[in-house]
Amino acid sequence: GPVFAYGAYIVGEKYIMSETHSATEDVRADYTITAVDLIREFAANDTAANNKYREKILAINGIVSQVETKLDSAVNIKFIDTTRHFLNFSLEKQDYLKTKKIKVGDNISLKGSCSGSDHSMILDSTSINFKRAILNLK
C-alpha cells in the first residue's frame, strides 16, 4: 500500500511539474467580459460559473478596486463588488515594469486563466482567482 501510494505521488508530481502552457499573451481569450458581469455571474450560480470558466482564458475589463505590490515584485489586482465576491489576479513578475503603475480607480483590461472560485467562511466572501495573468493590451 505505501509503496503504491508513493509511486502514485511520484507519477502525479512528474506530470504536474512537466505540464506546459502557452504564454498568456499568445492565447486568444475564450471569453471577454466586464469584471462586474463576471462577479454577478458567479454570485448568481457559483457551480455553473465554475463549470463555464474554470481553466479558460478570460479577458476582464473593469475598474481596479485594490492593488497589492509584493516584496518579490509580484502585483495582485482585485476587482471588488458589493456581493462579497471579488476577482483576484496575480500578475506575472516579468511584467512588473508594465503593471507597477496601475492604481485604484484605473480602468484596465487583464487576461488570465480562471482557477475558479474559493469561498472563505471566515471572511464571508468568495474570491475568483486567476493565474498566469497579464495586462491585456488588446
Side-chain angles (χ1 to χ4, degrees), residues 31-78:
Y31 298 96
T32 299
I33 189 168
T34 67
V36 172
D37 288 343
L38 185 63
I39 289 170
R40 288 182 182 154
E41 195 167 337
F42 270 90
N45 189 335
D46 188 70
T47 302
N50 272 307
N51 289 336
K52 180 177 179 180
Y53 295 116
R54 187 183 305 255
E55 299 305 323
K56 301 285 187 198
I57 300 293
L58 277 69
I60 307 294
N61 304 307
I63 298 174
V64 175
S65 301
Q66 187 176 349
V67 179
E68 269 179 14
T69 303
K70 306 274 185 179
L71 293 176
D72 64 354
S73 298
V75 176
N76 281 354
I77 304 289
K78 290 184 181 178

Side-chain angles (χ1 to χ4, degrees), residues 100-111:
K100 73 177 184 175
K101 297 176 185 173
I102 297 171
K103 59 188 179 308
V104 172
D106 286 352
N107 192 355
I108 65 170
S109 180
L110 298 174
K111 185 164 66 167

